[in-house]
Amino acid sequence: MPVRAEHDRAVLAALLGRDPVLHAYQLGDLDDFFWPYTSWFRHGDQVALLYHGVNPPTLLAFGAPAYVDELAVLLADLAPMLPTRLYAHLSPGLTAALAPVFDLDGPAAHLKMALTDPARLARVTPVGRPLSAADLPQLRALYAEAYPGNWFDPRMLHTGQYVGVDDGGALVAVAGVHVWSPTYRVAALGNVTTHPRLRGRGLGAAVVAALCRRLRDSVEHVTLNVRADNVAALRLYERLGFTRVADYGEYTLTGRGVSGAETTPGV
């Protein structure tokens, strides 16, 4: 079966829902909030997502080891149709399928984690208040100081799933989400940081615990992505009840022989 564009959300939900933890980001992107920014591709039962709500666009392709070969066929067929500059999150074993078309810079080794022991959240006193669009200036200031390389999308404040801690009239710690979908019962934490002058005081754990308790009222699976070498973050998340569920790599892809301005998706 050749690669095909897939536009049926029910079909995609059924395929991705077989492993909702591995595919939490993709399931979340089926929501109306994200759907207009997505292009979906399918080969048999394997699915890849091109999310073009960010710059550069981001390709997501995840599969269990038993299905990597089929997913690689999808990516090999899809590669000539992709934009010439993009970012990619890929399960191990998939880079060879893209190498004939792209130069790959990476990987940055990452882990997917899921909240599997929520009872541990009770060991941490939650701290924080829900943030809104009115908090955007303070939040930008915190990220500029504490997490300049973030992937924050201001639209996410409208989900109501950002929690922050104030000190001296300024935000000093925050935990938020990249995706949140009560419809598909998944959430992915993201853009978690604490002001440098207050690190080591437990604020990170407290604000993440507050957000996780909030999320568990509306979703079944709370997940996150984290760099494999971020030892401090790994210890924090494991202390709160998260476990490692999958490895993946993050790559920057550039079409072979390409120079100049970025292109837009050809899909």
Side-chain angles (χ1 to χ4, degrees):
M1 177 185 296
V3 64
R4 52 171 286 189
E6 181 59 70
H7 305 290
D8 189 324
R9 273 191 268 195
V11 170
L12 291 166
L15 293 172
L16 298 169
R18 295 176 303 176
D19 192 339
V21 170
L22 182 63
H23 298 300
Y25 272 76
Q26 291 147 299
L27 283 166
D29 286 342
L30 294 174
D31 263 352
D32 289 345
F33 191 84
F34 300 102
W35 179 258
Y37 303 95
T38 62
S39 298
W40 300 86
F41 305 92
R42 178 183 167 197
H43 177 88
D45 288 341
Q46 301 308 303
V47 174
L49 162 65
L50 182 65
Y51 182 73
H52 37 86
V54 292
N55 187 20
T58 301
L59 174 69
L60 280 71
F62 302 119
Y67 303 106
V68 164
D69 288 346
E70 186 178 353
L71 190 52
V73 171
L74 186 161
L75 293 182
D77 290 344
L78 179 60
M81 297 184 283
L82 292 171
T84 53
R85 298 182 191 275
L86 68 156
Y87 202 63
H89 296 191
L90 304 173
S91 286
L94 294 176
T95 56
L98 296 167
V101 177
F102 292 96
D103 292 318
L104 287 80
D105 182 14
H110 280 68
L111 298 169
K112 289 185 173 292
M113 304 185 76
L115 182 61
T116 57
D117 188 4
R120 293 192 182 186
L121 295 173
R123 304 176 186 176
V124 176
T125 301
V127 175
R129 63 175 177 85
L131 303 183
S132 70
D135 295 297
L136 182 58
Q138 287 193 61
L139 188 55
R140 287 193 187 278
L142 174 59
Y143 283 141
E145 183 75 20
Y147 188 10
N150 64 79
W151 290 89
F152 173 61
D153 178 351
R155 293 191 321 128
M156 295 309 297
L157 282 173
H158 296 291
T159 66
Q161 303 302 323
Y162 268 68
V163 174
V165 177
D166 301 292
D167 181 71
L171 280 174
V172 294
V174 64
V177 293
H178 288 303
V179 299
W180 171 66
S181 173
T183 300
Y184 298 103
R185 307 291 292 170
V186 295
L189 302 188
N191 295 313
V192 177
T193 196
T194 301
H195 194 284
R197 68 180 172 84
L198 294 175
R199 288 175 182 167
R201 303 187 185 184
L203 280 180
V207 73
V208 170
L211 178 59
C212 287
R213 291 186 179 190
R214 183 179 181 88
L215 289 170
R216 292 187 69 238
D217 290 336
S218 59
V219 306
E220 183 177 356
H221 302 287
V222 179
T223 70
L224 61 89
N225 295 342
V226 61
R227 280 186 65 110
D229 60 0
N230 191 341
V231 176
L234 287 170
R235 288 175 178 168
L236 183 152
Y237 293 131
E238 288 172 344
R239 181 158 62 93
L240 292 174
F242 287 83
T243 57
R244 309 176 190 197
V245 295
D247 302 319
Y248 78 97
E250 296 194 5
Y251 303 80
T252 300
L253 277 60
T254 306
R256 292 189 177 276
V258 170
S259 60
E262 292 183 357
T263 64
T264 55
V267 294

